[in-house]
């Protein structure tokens, strides 16, 4: 006989009152997230406010009298159309609101990925590992195809990650429906769409953004495979799961944990059901192994494991503590891949996830009650292995599971207390959670005014340069922008933004005749440029406290193109082409490649270009930089001498020469 549930919160039995447990969890998580208590006090709150109540709740819900309780995931009918309409409208609003200005600029890794994607426009490359820190190729291949359809620009690049985000939300709902009710799946989609970590991924064009999408698609296929009633559905689900597993390995190294978890689930399921054919199991293993084999061979090449070897040191306890603290309460230690205000999950989602876990254990004891926690832990293994470089994005697979648990907790509150007052409380919590994460994303993550200088990671200099040049091109059309005339080879964030109107980058503009020419270069070249071009307009870009890594100020010099002789303009174009080629080569530099090889890879300047002092000075300055990084101080000193004698005797060149000479003496 079904136990009668009182519609009143206060009249419900206190043996397991979800609201009581939720309030205890919420108070504890809020204190830990937003108040800087001493370490001993934090341990006290964790134990008495989270661990002990959770253990008590677990004991209550697993008692015999609760083992037959219906789970809060039973279907409760369709979600009203008007709720879907509001949800979709708000998703689109948040994904496109100030798309190119929130955050204010690109992250340095986005510069890598956008430059690699643009490089595929002129020459396609099927290499399996990309960039100086070797990573998997899927994102760069997708960007290469995408840029052929949507030409590179700041808008199109941000749109790419936005589309991935929208696809992830859709895949999340679809995956949840393989196991959960329509209401739980809808709540999961809502929390997934409007949580802090999802906001950050929606405007971040780096490899991590593919993991939640492939994870949701793969889990959706896995759920349908395990519940398939027909042969055709089973094999379609198998094909999707296998494809997701292979694509996951080609997206990011951290997929290894999820791949292992999926393999573990299939192994347990098929051996727990001996009557089922094992063909899908063995074919999943076999096809996955064949698909991933080329990537394994690429990883075994010299230098391909260098970054992994640097960060993966087995100290799981340290990594576990850092990751748990970052996920739930304080992600500032790993910012920019974290949160400056609380954890990756806000206190409301933290508490709902814990409540959802209790609802999960309220069901009749089955193998899945032990298998699911094991799967979540296995998914966390790559993050636990990277103890020397804790980065919260490595916990993305776990964040998806915790978000789903929060949706189950929210649904449990709705289902067990069907009264209007309870419903109002539940939706108030949901709206409060969304508000907290929107505030966290806009006021802290995206606003440089609230980010401490030591944690700044977006270059204000390039953002300022783009704003200036974009305004100029709107007034006068395409420009010549010599953005490579600095030694800051590591930050290429401005290239994708300039592509639509920079004649030097965009082949569509080859026939354009720009009225203005812009040069981004070291501020110490300015006296010489102003003397040669009296109409030059100079803007200092790198100001005190700017987070970009240049050792000197960067200046933006805007010149009327008519003031530059045709010969000089031709010389600058030749030098710019050389520098762009070297920079692209640097992006794909093998970590074990000597810096001297980079310096020696510079093609010689033509006799024509040797006539221009600016091109000569910057050319030899760049060559000298790479000789210096390779500790070939003698050649570096000669390069800086050439830059001074054949180009301009700029102050920073003389300083670099003195440092190189001193290094020669110290080396002796």
């Amino acid at each position: 006989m079904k136990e009668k549930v009182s519609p009143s919160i206060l009249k419900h039995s206190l043996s397991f009152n979800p609201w009581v447990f939720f309030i205890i969890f919420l108070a504890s998580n809020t204190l830990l997230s937003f108040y800087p208590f001493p370490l001993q006090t934090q341990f006290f709150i964790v134990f008495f406010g989270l661990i002990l109540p959770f253990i008590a709740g677990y004991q209550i819900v697993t008692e015999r009298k609760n083992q037959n309780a219906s789970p809060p995931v039973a279907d409760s009918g369709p979600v009203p159309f008007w709720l879907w309409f509001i949800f979709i409208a708000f998703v689109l609003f948040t994904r496109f609101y100030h798309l190119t200005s929130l955050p204010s600029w690109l992250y340095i890794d986005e510069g890598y990925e956008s430059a690699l994607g643009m490089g595929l426009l002129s020459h396609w490359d099927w290499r399996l590992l990309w960039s100086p820190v070797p990573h998997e190729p899927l994102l760069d291949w997708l960007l290469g195809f995408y840029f052929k359809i949507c030409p590179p620009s700041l808008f199109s690049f941000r749109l790419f990650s936005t589309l991935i985000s929208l696809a992830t939300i859709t895949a999340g709902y679809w995956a949840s429906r393989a196991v959960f009710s329509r209401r739980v799946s809808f709540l999961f989609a809502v929390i997934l769409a409007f949580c802090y970590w999802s906001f950050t991924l929606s405007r971040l064009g780096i490899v991590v953004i593919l993991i939640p999408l492939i994870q949701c698609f793969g889990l959706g296929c896995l759920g349908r495979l395990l519940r398939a009633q027909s042969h055709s559905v089973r094999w379609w689900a198998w094909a999707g799961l296998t494809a997701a597993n292979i694509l996951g390995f080609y997206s990011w190294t951290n997929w290894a944990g999820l791949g292992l978890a999926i393999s573990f689930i299939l192994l347990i399921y098929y051996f727990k059901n001996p009557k089922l054919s094992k063909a899908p199991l063995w074919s999943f293993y076999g096809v996955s192994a064949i698909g991933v084999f080329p990537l394994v061979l690429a990883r075994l090449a010299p230098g391909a494991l260098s970054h992994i070897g640097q960060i993966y040191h087995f100290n799981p306890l340290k990594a576990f503590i850092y990751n748990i603290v970052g996920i739930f309460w304080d992600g500032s230690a790993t910012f920019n891949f974290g949160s400056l205000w609380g954890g990756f999950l806000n206190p409301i989602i933290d508490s709902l996830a814990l409540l959802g876990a209790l609802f999960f254990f309220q069901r009749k004891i089955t193998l899945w009650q032990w298998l699911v926690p094991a799967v979540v832990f296995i998914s966390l293994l790559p993050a636990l292995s990277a103890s020397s470089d804790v980065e919260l994005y490595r916990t993305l697979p776990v964040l998806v599971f915790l978000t789903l648990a929060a949706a189950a907790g929210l649904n449990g509150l709705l289902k067990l207390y069907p009264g209007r007052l309870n419903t109002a409380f539940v939706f108030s919590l949901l709206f409060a959670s969304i508000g907290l994460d929107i505030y966290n994303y806009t006021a802290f993550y995206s606003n440089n005014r609230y980010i401490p200088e030591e944690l700044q990671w977006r270059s204000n200099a390039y953002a300022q340069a783009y704003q200036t040049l974009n305004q100029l091109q709107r007034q006068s059309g395409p420009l010549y922008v010599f953005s490579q005339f600095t030694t800051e080879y590591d930050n290429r964030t401005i290239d994708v933004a300039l592509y639509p109107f920079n004649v030097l980058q965009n082949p569509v503009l080859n026939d354009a005749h720009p009225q203005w020419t812009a040069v981004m270069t070291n501020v110490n070249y300015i006296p010489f440029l102003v003397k040669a071009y009296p109409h030059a307009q100079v803007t200092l870009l790198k100001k005190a406290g700017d987070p970009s890594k240049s050792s000197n100020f960067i200046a933006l010099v805007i010149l009327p193109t008519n003031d530059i002789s045709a010969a000089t303009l031709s010389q600058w174009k030749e030098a710019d082409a050389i520098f762009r080629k070297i920079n692209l080569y640097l992006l794909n530099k093998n970590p074990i490649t000597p810096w001297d090889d980079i310096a020696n890879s510079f093609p010689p300047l033509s006799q024509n270009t040797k006539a221009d002092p600016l091109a000569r000075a910057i050319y030899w300055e760049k060559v000298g930089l790479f000789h210096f990084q390779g500790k070939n101080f003698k050649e570096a000193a000669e390069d800086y001498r050439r830059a001074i004698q054949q180009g301009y005797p700029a102050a920073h060149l003389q300083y670099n020469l003195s440092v190189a000479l001193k290094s020669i003496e110290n080396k002796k």
Side-chain angles (χ1 to χ4, degrees), residues 24-25 28 40-54:
I24 294 173
F25 293 150
S28 302
Q40 296 87 342
T41 305
Q42 293 179 22
F43 279 124
F44 180 88
I45 296 173
V46 169
F47 182 76
F48 288 100
L50 296 175
I51 297 177
L52 205 59
F54 186 84

Side-chain angles (χ1 to χ4, degrees), residues 103-111 114 154 157-158 203 457-459 491-494 496-497:
S104 60
W105 195 241
L106 303 177
Y107 171 52
I108 190 170
D109 282 9
E110 294 182 283
S114 60
L154 182 58
F157 186 66
R158 281 272 172 85
R203 302 186 183 192
W457 52 283
R458 299 184 190 276
S459 175
N491 191 329
R492 303 299 353 135
T493 52
I494 199 168
V496 68

Side-chain angles (χ1 to χ4, degrees), residues 230-249:
S230 67
H231 181 77
S232 60
V233 171
R234 180 176 294 109
W235 280 104
W236 275 112
W238 170 88
L241 179 62
T242 306
N245 191 43
I246 295 173
L247 290 176
F249 279 103

Side-chain angles (χ1 to χ4, degrees), residues 311 318-319 322-323 333-334 337 383 386-392 394:
I311 65 173
K318 171 190 171 183
Y322 271 95
N323 282 300
T334 65
F337 299 137
S387 57
S388 63
D389 182 27
V390 176
E391 181 182 297
L392 282 182
R394 296 192 180 98

Side-chain angles (χ1 to χ4, degrees), residues 267-282:
L267 184 66
I268 297 297
Y269 175 78
Y270 275 99
F271 277 90
K272 192 69 175 176
N273 297 275
K275 294 183 179 180
L276 292 177
S277 170
K278 302 297 188 296
L281 174 66
W282 303 125

Side-chain angles (χ1 to χ4, degrees), residues 62-122:
T62 54
E63 288 179 355
R64 183 177 301 275
K65 62 180 180 180
N66 289 316
Q67 287 183 1
N68 293 323
S70 60
V73 295
D75 205 350
S76 53
V79 176
F81 173 79
W82 63 270
L83 270 181
W84 274 112
F85 179 82
I86 293 174
F87 168 66
I88 294 173
F90 197 48
V91 166
L92 295 176
F93 174 77
T94 56
R95 273 10 184 217
F96 289 95
Y97 177 77
H98 285 200
L99 183 60
T100 60
S101 59
L102 191 71
S104 60
W105 195 241
L106 303 177
Y107 171 52
I108 190 170
D109 282 9
E110 294 182 283
Y112 297 154
E113 306 303 345
S114 60
L116 292 170
M118 289 190 294
L120 293 176
L121 288 174
S122 56

Side-chain angles (χ1 to χ4, degrees), residues 370-438:
W370 308 108
L371 188 60
V372 170
V375 166
V376 174
F377 179 77
I378 293 171
S379 302
L380 190 60
L381 285 178
L384 297 183
S385 301
S387 57
S388 63
D389 182 27
V390 176
E391 181 182 297
L392 282 182
Y393 279 148
R394 296 192 180 98
T395 67
L396 279 174
V398 176
L399 296 181
V400 173
F401 290 127
L402 291 174
T403 304
L404 183 57
L410 199 64
N411 181 70
L413 292 176
L414 279 172
K415 183 176 178 60
L416 293 180
Y417 304 105
R420 291 184 178 180
L421 179 60
N422 179 74
T423 302
F425 282 155
V426 170
F427 277 95
S428 296
L429 282 176
L430 185 59
F431 295 147
S433 174
I434 294 171
L436 281 173
D437 284 339
I438 289 177

